Amino acid sequence: MRRRRAAVAAGFCASFLLGSVLNVLFAPGSEPPRPGQSPGPSPAPGLGRRGGRGELARQIRARYEEVQRYSRGGPGPGAGRPERRRLMDLAPGGPGLQRPRPPKTRTSSDGPPSWPPGSPGPGPRLGCAALRNVSGAQYVGSGYTKAVYRVRLPGGAVVALKAVDFSGHDLGSCVREFGARRSCYRLAAHKLLKEMVLLERLRHPNLYGYCYQDREDIPDTLTTITELGAPVEMIQLLQTSWEDRFRICLSLGRLLHHLAHSPLGSVTLLDFRPRQFVLVDGELKVTDLDDARVEETACQSSADCVLSFPARNFTLPCSAQGWCENMNEKRNLYNAYRFFYTYLLPHSAPPSLRPLLDAIVNATGELTWGVDETLAQLETTLYLYRSGQYLQDSKASSGAEYQRIPDSTIAQADYRCWPSYHHSGCLLSVFNLAEAVGICESHAQCRAFVLTNQTTWTGRKLVFFKSGWNQLVPDASKTTYVRAPG
């Protein structure tokens, strides 16, 4: 990974970089599993410390069976397509380990993906044809198992490519343990395969497609094509506006609700950290599902139903059916509290919304609510904020008058406020003119404000607050309001 970063930093030409990336993505030396492929016989590994061939085969079998469980359970997106049946139905004892042909691309070769953002769609639409002429390849990062690259498709759309990282810890530790590179790759690739199957079964819109492609003497190396998002940087998020931070929390609440009521049942994210998510158009999306689990925890009594976290533990009831009640849902919810809600929800929120936001944070921190109630309260907060009802009890601090100057703006005269949409000025969103006046009255520096025609995701107007108005200039898209003297 360090070598790849160094190569990028050194400024190698684009063609060499692209070739290097694709060589890593489709590196020889292993045979990836296909959905439904039986573990079957594989090259014999060396005798490792934990049992050699038998132990490695057991691990491959366990991961294969996990993928099989998630690939069944009723018709999922794209289940009726011939290539999907061929990929998913190669169970042990089936017709054999035949090489599947790459899925046909579902979009034109000269245009971006045609599905709307956020739409579940009918299933993967991009295949190997979409990867033939990619450009601008960049290494994004890697985790325990996978490496991620950013590429631009021929039509201009930018996507992420995921593949097993041949320099990663997962594959490397297995090779050191068992001495069988091909089988170890197969073991690691089941994580990528599991993630792909889960994204399809959960109808997650950020899976755009996948490709099995021959490289040199190795058939069917697997790459998934997914939506590209920005990494979640908590320090940066704490410096953004409350409205944007609330959007992240709301999208997380909606995501947890979907996971709790998914077609597969309640899904929990065992590796729930900010780095497992990305931001796409201001909303939070999960990007790593290889450590997700669907099965609830079996129990004989509530003593078997302990949720353990670094700061505290919770004991959940054991149902009459022998399952810990809502353990998957509660694990997700408490992780949402400790990683996101407690930091992003209350700070710099409108004062009239603070009691409701504090109730959400406290209830998720104590697990007194489930995901349904949590999402309902987040949606209520959105309604109050978007409709302006949270302003009903607010009063202006003075009766100062403001002169309206249409088709104008103020050059310079900026001052900083927090949080602001602009790093060197005070740019805030308002519901109406009265709220803008109230904000200006509450800022000691404010002598004027400029109403723009730009809006936020909730439809609120963006307003620049100014410390003076000496440099008034024409601007047809803005209206200036200057505080009357006295």
Side-chain angles (χ1 to χ4, degrees):
M1 287 177 278
R2 293 190 180 97
R3 288 195 297 270
R4 284 198 294 271
R5 287 176 178 169
V8 173
F12 282 120
C13 67
S15 60
F16 179 79
L17 174 61
L18 178 59
S20 300
V21 168
L22 293 179
N23 184 58
V24 171
L25 288 175
F26 306 117
S30 59
E31 179 183 347
R34 299 183 288 270
Q37 175 180 315
S38 169
S42 60
L47 291 176
R49 293 188 300 273
R50 294 180 294 165
R53 176 195 294 231
E55 172 62 19
L56 183 56
R58 184 196 65 78
Q59 293 183 27
I60 293 175
R61 167 69 64 174
R63 289 191 184 177
Y64 158 74
E65 291 175 349
E66 183 182 32
V67 173
Q68 281 294 91
R69 287 197 305 272
Y70 296 145
S71 68
R72 296 191 294 264
R81 292 180 289 122
E83 69 269 18
R84 190 65 186 152
R85 288 198 301 270
R86 181 170 60 254
L87 289 170
M88 297 305 299
D89 293 344
L90 295 176
L97 303 180
Q98 302 170 2
R99 176 182 180 271
R101 293 190 298 274
K104 295 180 180 179
T105 182
R106 301 291 177 176
T107 57
S108 63
S109 59
D110 57 352
S114 59
W115 54 92
S119 172
R125 305 186 183 189
L126 296 179
C128 297
L131 302 183
R132 290 173 185 163
N133 296 300
V134 297
S135 60
Q138 296 178 11
Y139 169 78
V140 175
S142 59
Y144 188 80
T145 302
K146 301 183 295 289
V148 182
Y149 297 87
R150 175 190 186 275
V151 301
R152 186 177 298 277
L153 300 181
V158 178
V159 299
L161 301 184
K162 288 186 179 182
V164 171
D165 187 357
F166 282 86
S167 301
H169 182 80
D170 198 3
L171 182 62
S173 61
C174 178
V175 171
R176 288 190 296 271
E177 177 72 20
F178 298 106
R181 185 174 173 84
R182 173 174 290 197
S183 294
C184 285
Y185 173 81
R186 193 174 185 183
L187 180 68
H190 269 98
K191 287 189 176 182
L192 183 63
L193 189 58
K194 172 188 173 182
E195 181 175 274
M196 184 181 77
V197 170
L198 278 174
L199 287 172
E200 285 202 82
R201 297 294 302 148
L202 295 174
R203 300 177 173 90
H204 200 294
N206 74 347
L207 177 65
Y208 290 166
Y210 56 92
C211 172
Y212 287 97
Q213 185 166 331
D214 289 351
R215 288 288 160 172
E216 298 181 7
D217 60 334
I218 302 300
D220 307 333
T221 54
L222 172 62
T223 299
T224 59
I225 309 168
T226 65
E227 187 174 33
L228 182 69
V232 176
E233 301 288 350
M234 293 302 295
I235 294 179
Q236 294 180 10
L237 292 182
L238 291 173
Q239 301 175 44
T240 60
S241 69
W242 175 84
E243 186 174 343
D244 285 347
R245 285 184 276 120
F246 174 73
R247 186 181 190 183
I248 293 170
C249 294
L250 176 63
S251 62
L252 178 57
R254 289 170 175 170
L255 172 63
L256 297 189
H257 183 270
H258 179 69
L259 292 177
H261 302 283
S262 81
L264 292 171
S266 182
V267 179
T268 190
L269 304 177
L270 297 178
D271 189 7
F272 194 118
R273 293 174 294 168
R275 63 177 296 176
Q276 307 301 105
F277 299 85
V278 295
L279 289 172
V280 179
D281 296 327
E283 296 192 351
L284 202 66
K285 293 190 178 184
V286 64
T287 185
D288 198 331
L289 284 173
D290 57 10
D291 288 313
R293 189 180 73 185
V294 174
E295 298 82 3
E296 292 281 12
T297 302
C299 61
Q300 294 182 346
S301 68
S302 59
D304 301 321
C305 301
V306 178
L307 265 179
S308 298
F309 298 97
R312 63 177 305 180
N313 298 331
F314 298 91
T315 300
L316 305 180
C318 180
S319 70
Q321 292 74 32
W323 301 100
C324 297
E325 291 185 3
N326 301 321
M327 179 169 275
N328 285 352
E329 172 183 330
K330 297 286 189 177
R331 179 184 286 108
N332 287 343
L333 197 56
Y334 188 78
N335 278 323
Y337 155 79
R338 70 190 186 107
F339 286 115
F340 291 95
Y341 292 162
T342 189
Y343 299 110
L344 302 183
L345 262 184
H347 307 296
S348 69
S352 60
L353 293 177
R354 282 295 298 270
L356 180 54
L357 296 172
D358 288 340
I360 294 173
V361 172
N362 293 334
T364 53
E366 296 296 327
L367 292 185
T368 55
W369 291 350
V371 295
D372 293 351
E373 180 64 20
T374 301
L375 179 58
Q377 296 301 325
L378 288 169
E379 296 286 2
T380 297
T381 305
L382 174 63
Y383 171 75
L384 295 174
Y385 187 67
R386 177 175 275 166
S387 65
Q389 291 190 27
Y390 75 100
L391 293 171
Q392 287 182 352
D393 297 330
S394 64
K395 298 179 180 179
S397 59
S398 73
E401 295 183 356
Y402 285 78
Q403 178 186 358
R404 181 177 182 271
I405 307 175
D407 302 326
S408 65
T409 187
I410 301 172
Q412 301 181 7
D414 290 309
Y415 65 91
R416 292 183 179 182
C417 65
W418 186 86
S420 171
Y421 286 94
H422 195 279
H423 69 279
S424 61
C426 188
L427 178 63
L428 303 175
S429 71
V430 300
F431 174 72
N432 54 21
L433 189 61
E435 185 177 13
V437 170
I439 292 174
C440 189
E441 292 295 293
S442 68
H443 291 180
Q445 310 98 309
C446 186
R447 297 293 180 269
F449 59 87
V450 179
L451 189 68
T452 75
N453 62 358
Q454 296 176 293
T455 58
T456 66
W457 66 278
T458 59
R460 293 162 59 89
K461 290 281 188 179
L462 287 177
V463 176
F464 279 102
F465 293 89
K466 301 285 186 173
S467 60
W469 56 281
N470 292 332
Q471 300 186 45
L472 203 65
V473 296
D475 191 325
S477 65
K478 297 180 176 66
T479 302
T480 299
Y481 291 82
V482 177
R483 185 176 181 178

